[in-house]
Amino acid sequence: MGQEQLQFIGGVRRSGSGAPLSIIAPATGAVIASGAGANAADVESAVTAAGAAFPGWAGLTPAARSDLMHEWARILRARAGDLAAIESVNAGKPIRLATEFDVPGTIDNTAFFAGAARHLEGKAAAEYSGDHTSSIRREPLGVIGSIAPWNYPLQMAAWKILPAVAAGNTVVLKPSELTPLSSLLFAEAATAAGVPPGVINVLTGTGAEAGQPLVEHPAVAMVSFTGSTGVGKRVAATAAGAVKRVHLELGGKAPFVVFDDADPEAAARGAVAGALINTGQDCTAATRAYVQRPLFEEFIGRVADLMDRVALGPVENPETDMGPLISRAHREKVLGMVERARESGAKIVRGGRIPEHTPAAGSYFEPTLITGAAQDSEIVQHEIFGPVLVVLPFDTDDEAIALANDTVYGLAASAWSRDVFRTQRASREIQAGCVWINDHIPIISEMPHGGYKSSGFGKDMSAYAFEEYTNIKHVMSDITGVAHKPWHDIIFRAG
């Protein structure tokens, strides 16, 4: 690939006005696209385009928006192969993951919100006061500024854009400058489906050059951000100064709690899949396994055996199980956390190294299993965002719940047991936005995704996402036709 027009503004590709960007394939280190990034001037153009498109888009009937979104889903299905290929190369995903998870999940999300666009529900109209009919209007906010991360570029673009536009808003999305290519294809598919120019705009640029001006722009009514907790705090502080609505989906440190009556094979397989999905670059990934002592050694042995069988290799090979980390810099961060854990006395049971027999210019890292870490250690408390699972023992159910909740995060968790009362207790008492029972990772369009505590607030996916992207207006209409109302006498008694 050569020079690219990396901006999508007003329904067309454009070159940016900012500094040059090079898009790198994590598996090989090769430059796969390059072009000028976005800056504040491009933000202005995109917000202006979105603002101009808003009245017409918001004024469409829900059925009209729904029809366009159904056509969008149809076009995405027709282009699924192209989307999977570019997602695999740009984000370093095994083609099997892109083909069987990222792309079909995005298409399903699009189809879901195409239907949900016609079901913006409110409380039933009724005469709650006796003298008035009260009804609820759910109205779009305006221009939404969205910032998406690099780990699931296509799905995160969809999670940001779909509920916003289904509700009648227009969007300016800033994907990560590392992985913008599938977001651009996603927006182009919308335009091909007939979504009007300016409804969806995509700016490829850095946080400093494009993200900050987008968050600060006075015509942006709301900011939706997915990324690290540290950056999320800065986004929230900036938005608060302008009293903008904010939706934050931030970091995670998901506990994986295995009680002594769990199916040990199911738990081990679930832990490996949950820890290694997307090379561990998943905010809901299983990162802290707490295993009741009678199963502890068996669990460690089986997880180590399964990790030994995970195939690393070229992302275009359908036999590859795990691809590279997003960049060499990120690999150094992951390696540094593992080395510090080793130095502090933890045992590296498997992995912990840069693998041999992978491209030298790529950013591969071995599946890694660690035991013997302290609960208050960096490797247990901080987000790794790599293929690393730390396993610690526990003795009592009370201890398991306490350990699971002993981080600042609260995005996802899982509990493994054949005892329904144990698992139901875990689902009640673990502080997380999603708790899986005897599984870890599956998501569905009909159910929400979002966190507690320092993992942020607000929901992606499902009809609950409309709560983020709509204003609720109460309309109260007199039904008596009486000029002199009894409540007036509370204020004045003039005849």
Side-chain angles (χ1 to χ4, degrees), residues 187-188 203 225 389 448:
E188 288 180 324
L203 297 177
F225 172 82
L389 176 65

Side-chain angles (χ1 to χ4, degrees), residues 8-27:
F8 187 78
I9 301 172
V12 296
R13 285 278 195 118
R14 299 187 191 180
S15 295
S17 307
L21 286 177
S22 292
I23 313 302
I24 307 297

Side-chain angles (χ1 to χ4, degrees), residues 304-321:
D305 177 57
L306 290 170
M307 282 189 171
D308 286 341
R309 304 181 190 188
V310 172
L312 280 66
V315 295
E316 68 272 15
N317 186 344
E319 300 303 313
T320 293
D321 295 321

Side-chain angles (χ1 to χ4, degrees), residues 56-146:
W57 181 249
L60 288 179
T61 65
R65 288 197 295 268
S66 176
D67 287 346
L68 291 168
M69 294 183 72
H70 277 299
E71 177 63 9
W72 188 5
R74 188 197 66 77
I75 290 172
L76 292 171
R77 289 188 193 96
R79 299 180 181 180
D82 292 340
L83 286 165
I86 199 65
E87 190 79 339
S88 174
V89 171
N90 191 186
K93 293 175 182 285
I95 189 63
R96 199 168 73 237
L97 181 67
T99 301
E100 299 181 18
F101 183 76
D102 296 78
V103 172
T106 300
I107 294 169
D108 186 70
N109 262 260
T110 307
F112 172 81
F113 279 106
R118 301 183 72 162
H119 297 281
L120 288 170
E121 297 178 347
K123 197 170 186 178
E127 289 67 51
Y128 296 101
S129 77
D131 292 335
H132 309 81
T133 294
S134 285
S135 60
I136 294 294
R137 292 180 57 85
R138 190 183 286 272
E139 299 179 343
L141 304 176
V143 178
I144 309 300
S146 294

Side-chain angles (χ1 to χ4, degrees), residues 29-42:
V31 176
I32 56 173
S34 60
N39 65 11
D42 301 302

Side-chain angles (χ1 to χ4, degrees), residues 201-220:
N201 306 273
V202 178
L203 297 177
T204 302
T206 64
E209 281 211 310
Q212 189 73 15
L214 180 61
V215 173
E216 292 175 344
H217 199 289
V220 169

